[in-house]
Amino acid sequence: MRSVREAWKAAVASAVADMLAEKGADPSLSEAVAAEAPPDAAMGDVGFPMFPFAKALRMGPPQIAAALADRLVAEASAGAAPAGTVKAVGPYLNVFLDRASVAAQALGSRSLGSSYGRSSSLAGSKVMIEFSSPNTNKPLHLGHLRNDVLGESSARILKANGAEVMKINLVNDRGVHICKSMLSYMAYGGGRVPEDEGKKTDHFVGDYYVRFNDLKKDDPKAEEKAQELLVKWEAGDPETIALWKKMNEWAVGGIRRTYDRTGVSFDKYYYESQIYLTGKDEVQKGLASGVFFKADDGSVRVDLSPIGLEEKVLLRKDGTSIYMTQDLGLAIHRHQDWPFDRLVYVVANEQQYHFKVLFYILKRLGYDWADNLFHLSYGLVNLPEGRMKTREGTVVDADALLDSLRELALEEIQAKGREDAVGDPLDTAEKIALGAVHYYLAQATPSKDMIFNPKESLSFNGNTGPYIQYMGARISSLLRKRDRGEGSASKGSVRPELLSSPSEWELVRLVSSYPEAVEQAGAEYNPAIVAAHVYAIASAFSKFYHDEPILSCEDPDQAATRLALSEAVLVVLKNGLELLCIPFLEAM
RNA sequence: GCGUUCGUAGCUCAGCUGGAUAGAGCGACGGACUUCGAAUCCGUAGGUCGGGGGUUCGACUCCCUCCGGACGCACCA
């Protein structure tokens, strides 16, 4: 569809340039030709507004559109224009595409299967993407799920556009917050292990972190002791390290189980405990080259006035490093490990300042890849009841959320009496729960704060994951029937020109523009674009399915063609859901 | 106080990089199952696009200003 549209755009631009030249105006003004979508398909498939040329041509836009239409019709009769017909509609020049050829192209997606929607727009580029980055003192919560789905989905979209992608996870496994859960365990743990309490290992650790609040009441010096423990840890005290290792294995092990459950994976794990000292040497180099300076108090700083900010300390006066130092070193080391062209950080928007400064410093240090750093900044996830707060215990635990959604989905399957039809009810319920959460989180514009409504996410009605999964299941059901010999489709042949009704054309249009959506999502690091497209096609299919007989169509050719269209829709649904980390279901 | 960002229907969100009558979903109200899965579909009501200026042939979109919310402004991560 794009190629046809581009061809028309070029044809219109060339015709406009000719008109401008004839009137003695500058032909390069024709670069302002823009292809748009008319509000109603009855007005045309592609529209070109003529306003920008009115002044230069000394004509009203409607007159320009009419004159241009005549010109292009003449070219078409001479075989010089792309397929389709043109029509002046007020100030717009509209094009009606040759629907049969667009439909034929859309049906071609069936043979491409899982590769339909791939592009080479990012071919040859290496993209590293960092996401999730959990702390090892507590399990994943709803906010992580948004981070994870944005990261994993973006990675899949980038790959679909031809990029080579390296997914990395930076685990925050050191620091005073980790020491707090250790201290709490030392006080209350009594040597117990997760199995003793029948708990998932990361929850076991998280519970001790929460109990640090009790410890503060029992022991007024708890905060101090946590700091002391951190010092012991940094000194490599064997006992401290042993406990730290044990608890971290529990935490990371549990978190990994949640990743397995949600379909998130990483190519490489980095641990802060191993890299928190990196970056010092880079700062020293920058100091030597004059990018940084030594302040009167002995600390090393960078001047941020060129980007309208103050100074930033990079090394304390005692020579110890800070967060920025570490991230600086890590970025450089990562590039040595795997020379990426772009580096994407999926991190909450509260760290915008941090990345602004980090990117600026890397650029000042002269790294050529510093121009292609991107902070995929996302907003908070809140609940209908209000904001999640750790202290108030209103944080939504990821595992518990998935469990409760799975339970609700299971109840629905049972209520509909579909246990036998779905085969494995619990597994199906789990996949519906995952579809609900991932779709809901992925469909929102990343940068904005959002409200997560669990009940709404699971609704089988409306703009939800399960609704889309349902359309996939319906099409699968049709195909099963066809394979069993039902209907007349097998006796007919596929004829794209039969796809002419409004609902059929809408589906053709959406199938054929799917690759553009994937490409745009990749260019903007925005899975929501794929989500919107997948929902649109599911919704359009639902209408089509309701209005038109498919398998039960009397005319074999029409049945075969409509079934082929359904298969094309299925290809888009499957591929799109895959990009969004939403399981596809044959039946539900 | 300074900076960033957001404000679109009762609620949750789109709005294709400045174009045709601002769109969906939920909720409300009213319809559609002897028919491929009604976990669906159709219709109705509901908006001064936070307010006010400006740029433009044309502004939800760009600029300024005010109001309101969020986040940041550490030698914490």
Side-chain angles (χ1 to χ4, degrees):
Chain A
M1 182 133 158
R2 173 176 37 199
S3 53
V4 189
R5 202 166 62 189
E6 289 298 317
W8 270 107
K9 188 177 169 183
V12 172
S14 142
V16 169
D18 290 348
M19 280 179 73
L20 287 164
E22 286 163 20
K23 291 267 184 176
D26 180 3
S28 69
L29 284 175
S30 68
E31 284 167 19
V33 167
E36 286 161 10
D40 183 351
M43 300 166 87
D45 299 312
V46 190
F48 300 92
M50 290 299 125
F51 305 100
F53 317 110
K55 202 169 278 176
L57 290 171
R58 296 191 304 280
M59 292 167 73
Q63 283 70 46
I64 302 172
L68 218 48
D70 290 344
R71 198 176 277 255
L72 285 162
V73 166
E75 282 182 20
S77 62
T85 55
V86 293
K87 186 181 171 190
V89 182
Y92 292 85
L93 178 72
N94 289 351
V95 174
F96 292 81
L97 301 176
D98 177 43
R99 297 195 170 186
S101 63
V102 177
Q105 186 199 324
L107 294 183
S109 63
R110 292 173 302 153
S111 58
L112 292 169
S114 63
S115 65
Y116 183 63
R118 297 221 175 132
S119 83
S120 54
S121 61
L122 297 175
S125 72
K126 298 175 79 160
V127 186
M128 182 175 272
I129 179 165
E130 174 191 302
F131 63 100
S132 201
S133 304
N135 290 328
T136 58
N137 60 340
K138 56 189 176 207
L140 302 179
H141 57 71
L142 181 52
H144 288 110
L145 291 179
R146 185 177 196 187
N147 183 309
D148 291 350
V149 77
L150 284 173
E152 179 68 34
S153 180
S154 294
R156 293 182 187 189
I157 290 167
L158 292 168
K159 273 186 203 169
N161 284 302
E164 189 184 343
V165 177
M166 168 82 82
K167 295 182 286 182
I168 63 175
N169 192 356
L170 174 59
V171 180
N172 297 301
D173 63 344
R174 66 166 287 278
V176 74
H177 51 298
I178 309 294
C179 293
K180 286 179 182 175
S181 48
M182 287 164 63
L183 212 56
S184 175
Y185 179 77
M186 284 155 67
Y188 306 119
R192 281 193 295 277
V193 299
E195 293 74 42
D196 295 337
E197 299 181 12
K199 279 181 186 159
K200 190 159 167 289
T201 54
D202 51 338
H203 287 85
F204 180 84
V205 173
D207 290 348
Y208 283 104
Y209 180 70
V210 172
R211 287 188 70 183
F212 184 75
N213 289 319
D214 297 336
L215 190 61
K216 277 198 289 190
K217 286 172 202 145
D218 292 349
D219 182 354
K221 290 189 171 174
E223 292 279 359
E224 254 176 72
K225 285 184 176 172
Q227 287 294 342
E228 286 165 15
L229 196 58
L230 182 61
V231 172
K232 280 172 88 173
W233 179 88
E234 293 199 1
D237 172 59
E239 230 173 282
T240 306
I241 297 289
L243 177 61
W244 170 78
K245 269 192 178 162
K246 185 161 73 172
M247 292 186 75
N248 263 336
E249 274 166 24
W250 286 334
V252 174
I255 288 168
R256 277 183 184 247
R257 273 178 61 195
T258 305
Y259 290 148
D260 288 342
R261 181 179 189 180
T262 57
V264 165
S265 68
F266 299 91
D267 299 305
K268 182 159 184 167
Y269 279 74
Y270 284 86
Y271 295 88
E272 263 194 35
S273 56
Q274 289 166 15
I275 51 84
Y276 77 104
L277 293 175
T278 67
K280 285 188 186 185
D281 46 347
E282 301 300 336
V283 173
Q284 292 299 348
K285 277 190 239 167
L287 184 60
S289 65
V291 175
F292 308 136
F293 67 93
K294 193 159 235 169
D296 295 340
D297 66 358
S299 62
V300 178
R301 307 183 180 199
V302 60
D303 173 24
L304 299 175
S305 61
I307 52 171
L309 298 170
E310 310 277 309
E311 295 172 356
K312 175 80 186 173
V313 172
L314 297 176
L315 280 180
R316 297 187 181 97
K317 61 186 169 201
D318 63 3
T320 55
S321 65
I322 59 172
Y323 178 44
M324 185 64 74
T325 322
Q326 170 190 311
D327 250 10
L328 201 57
L330 191 53
I332 294 163
H333 282 244
R334 279 171 180 166
H335 191 268
Q336 286 161 0
D337 284 357
W338 196 76
F340 52 79
D341 303 297
R342 310 177 187 207
L343 174 57
V344 179
Y345 292 89
V346 184
V347 179
N349 60 16
E350 62 200 6
Q351 292 199 36
Q352 278 175 116
Y353 166 84
H354 174 76
F355 287 104
K356 190 175 179 183
V357 173
L358 175 66
F359 295 172
Y360 171 74
I361 294 174
L362 285 165
K363 202 172 159 62
R364 283 292 310 278
L365 288 173
Y367 293 99
D368 55 357
W369 42 266
D371 286 323
N372 296 316
L373 302 169
F374 184 75
H375 175 201
L376 176 40
S377 167
Y378 66 91
L380 252 53
V381 185
N382 296 314
L383 295 173
E385 302 82 44
R387 212 172 147 170
M388 294 198 294
K389 285 182 179 154
T390 314
R391 276 171 303 175
E392 293 171 22
T394 54
V395 173
V396 177
D397 174 74
D399 294 310
L401 174 68
L402 288 168
D403 287 348
S404 79
L405 290 175
R406 179 177 62 193
E407 185 54 32
L408 290 170
L410 186 62
E411 282 169 15
E412 192 66 24
I413 290 169
Q414 287 162 343
K416 302 282 172 192
R418 291 197 53 84
E419 292 99 321
D420 292 340
V422 302
D424 184 341
L426 193 63
D427 180 61
T428 304
E430 168 84 3
K431 285 173 174 164
I432 292 171
L434 211 51
V437 173
H438 279 175
Y439 182 80
Y440 205 98
L441 295 173
Q443 55 83 32
T445 300
S447 60
K448 292 189 188 179
D449 288 354
M450 67 180 294
I451 294 177
F452 180 80
N453 185 328
K455 244 185 211 129
E456 195 179 297
S457 79
L458 196 60
S459 167
F460 301 93
N461 251 334
N463 188 1
T464 68
Y467 172 86
I468 297 166
Q469 288 173 313
Y470 176 54
M471 292 310 145
R474 273 177 151 183
I475 298 174
S476 302
S477 173
L478 278 177
L479 299 179
R480 280 194 296 273
K481 291 195 168 173
R482 189 262 323 265
D483 294 342
R484 264 189 259 121
E486 290 185 34
S488 61
S490 54
K491 294 194 281 286
S493 51
V494 176
R495 291 164 52 202
E497 72 274 14
L498 293 179
L499 297 173
S500 55
S501 75
S503 62
E504 288 165 334
W505 174 245
E506 179 67 3
L507 285 173
V508 164
R509 200 180 64 73
L510 287 166
V511 168
S512 59
S513 60
Y514 171 71
E516 290 170 57
V518 176
E519 199 170 320
Q520 193 190 348
E524 296 176 18
Y525 305 102
N526 185 1
I529 292 168
V530 173
H533 202 273
V534 168
Y535 172 69
I537 201 165
S539 173
F541 179 80
S542 190
K543 182 175 169 55
F544 167 67
Y545 179 89
H546 186 267
D547 293 348
E548 318 279 2
I550 301 170
L551 195 59
S552 54
C553 212
E554 283 180 25
D555 174 26
D557 285 357
Q558 193 153 45
T561 306
R562 286 182 175 165
L563 209 55
L565 179 61
S566 304
E567 285 184 282
V569 169
L570 191 67
V571 165
V572 172
L573 289 180
K574 274 186 176 170
N575 296 354
L577 291 178
E578 173 70 20
L579 294 180
L580 298 169
C581 315
I582 297 171
F584 176 81
L585 287 166
E586 300 278 346
M588 60 191 283

